[in-house]
Amino acid sequence: MQIDTLHDAPIVDSQTSVSAPDMLARDLNARFATASPLEILDAAIHHLFPKRIALVSSFGAESALLLHFLAEIDRSVPVLFLDTGKHFDETLMYRDILAGRFDFTDLRSVEPDGADLARHDPDGTLWQTNPDLCCQLRKVDPLLHALEPFGAWITGRKRYQSRTRAELPLFESLDGRIKVNPLAHLNAADIEAAFKEFKLPQHPLYYDGFKSIGCKPCTLRVADGDDARSGRWAGTDKTECGIHR
Ligand code: SF4
């Protein structure tokens, strides 16, 4: 298969004013529409964005599957963990368990800027009064900085997780980068079957009713039958932290 890179694509289509990353994402969605997660990852890591791609993991529920696939392809791809300072202890423990199991050689902890926190969130309660700014300081800004060397990044999002993700494509463009969502088409049953097949450990809080796990102050258990992400910022109209806007 002939695969273009971001550098090979024209900057802007003069007929449509569509940007190069947008055109590339559209093209890749057509090419990989029926590809498996492993095929998508292999192409993205070895052919589309060699040495220019990272995986971003929350080390939350279901994270082990994408990390397992990455370990099958290439353990040296940088894995970025947004260490917001607000995680459950169980998440940090799970991160260490998975990092040990998969033996990644470039696991990076991405942390908020200390001066920003001292200025805007000195007592650590910003999540109560302005969660959007809290996510900006603890997730969005640190991730943007960490992604500077990369032309693409891999996420573990799935369509089934929420209504707002129901149309999630395999490839997206954002801020001049390509986001690769190799698990987009998997559903809850697929994930559960894969965890069994590959004997993957689940997040310690998963069996306690937490189906999507973010920061401790902003994550609640989910009732059976509800969207997996309905426990995130529950009771507010906030559905995303901002890194996937
Ligand atoms: Fe802050 Fe909550 Fe966002 Fe975490 S999820 S960064 S605690 S607002």
Side-chain angles (χ1 to χ4, degrees), residues 209-221:
F210 293 86
K211 304 303 183 196
S212 173
I213 301 166
C215 294
K216 184 174 182 178
C218 306
T219 305
L220 296 179
R221 290 179 182 80

Side-chain angles (χ1 to χ4, degrees), residues 43-61:
I45 291 167
H46 292 135
H47 304 291
L48 287 164
F49 308 101
K51 306 292 184 195
R52 298 178 55 244
I53 191 167
L55 183 147
V56 177
S57 179
S58 65
F59 287 86

Side-chain angles (χ1 to χ4, degrees), residues 12 15 21 30 40 63 66 80 95 97 129 153 162 206:
V12 170
Q15 301 297 313
I40 294 168
S63 292
L66 182 61
L80 311 185
R95 174 200 59 189
I97 290 170
T129 55
W153 49 299
S162 68
Y206 182 81

Side-chain angles (χ1 to χ4, degrees):
M1 178 186 293
Q2 178 70 39
I3 299 174
D4 300 327
T5 69
L6 198 52
H7 289 309
D8 295 331
I11 301 301
V12 170
D13 183 319
S14 59
Q15 301 297 313
T16 63
S17 297
V18 177
S19 71
D22 285 344
M23 286 193 290
L24 181 57
R26 197 165 57 191
D27 180 51
L28 293 174
N29 280 314
R31 291 186 191 195
F32 289 90
T34 59
S36 70
L38 274 175
E39 289 170 331
I40 294 168
L41 278 175
D42 184 45
I45 291 167
H46 292 135
H47 304 291
L48 287 164
F49 308 101
K51 306 292 184 195
R52 298 178 55 244
I53 191 167
L55 183 147
V56 177
S57 179
S58 65
F59 287 86
E62 302 181 348
S63 292
L65 181 58
L66 182 61
L67 294 168
H68 165 80
F69 285 142
L70 181 69
E72 294 279 300
I73 300 286
D74 189 340
R75 294 173 194 271
S76 71
V77 170
V79 176
L80 311 185
F81 170 64
L82 288 173
D83 193 349
T84 63
K86 295 289 186 185
H87 284 299
F88 290 93
D89 289 344
E90 288 88 343
T91 297
L92 303 180
M93 185 175 72
Y94 189 53
R95 174 200 59 189
D96 295 342
I97 290 170
L98 294 182
R101 171 172 173 144
F102 297 125
D103 199 21
F104 296 118
T105 61
D106 193 358
L107 174 59
R108 305 181 189 184
S109 191
V110 178
E111 298 176 1
D113 180 80
D116 281 347
L117 289 187
R119 182 171 173 211
H120 296 287
D121 194 12
D123 61 358
T125 60
L126 189 61
W127 63 271
Q128 289 177 307
T129 55
N130 192 340
D132 285 339
L133 180 58
C134 186
C135 283
Q136 187 75 33
L137 299 180
R138 294 179 182 275
K139 294 184 174 182
V140 179
D141 290 346
L143 181 63
L144 273 178
H145 181 63
L147 285 175
E148 280 174 6
F150 304 106
W153 49 299
I154 303 161
T155 91
R157 291 175 300 155
K158 277 83 62 179
R159 291 171 193 150
Y160 93 89
Q161 288 174 309
S162 68
R163 289 182 205 93
T164 56
R165 294 184 177 181
E167 306 290 329
L168 183 69
L170 295 169
F171 296 87
E172 305 168 89
S173 75
L174 179 68
D175 298 334
R177 291 188 184 83
I178 296 293
K179 286 203 289 188
V180 187
N181 309 308
L183 308 185
H185 53 290
L186 300 191
N187 59 34
D190 296 327
I191 304 286
E192 190 177 340
F195 264 71
K196 282 186 184 151
E197 179 181 354
F198 303 124
K199 296 185 171 52
L200 298 173
Q202 194 38 284
H203 191 292
L205 295 176
Y206 182 81
Y207 296 111
D208 195 19
F210 293 86
K211 304 303 183 196
S212 173
I213 301 166
C215 294
K216 184 174 182 178
C218 306
T219 305
L220 296 179
R221 290 179 182 80
V222 173
D224 284 345
D226 283 356
D227 277 355
R229 288 181 59 81
S230 61
R232 306 288 291 276
W233 305 283
T236 77
D237 57 6
K238 184 174 171 65
T239 58
E240 297 281 354
C241 62
I243 65 175
H244 296 304
R245 70 186 187 281

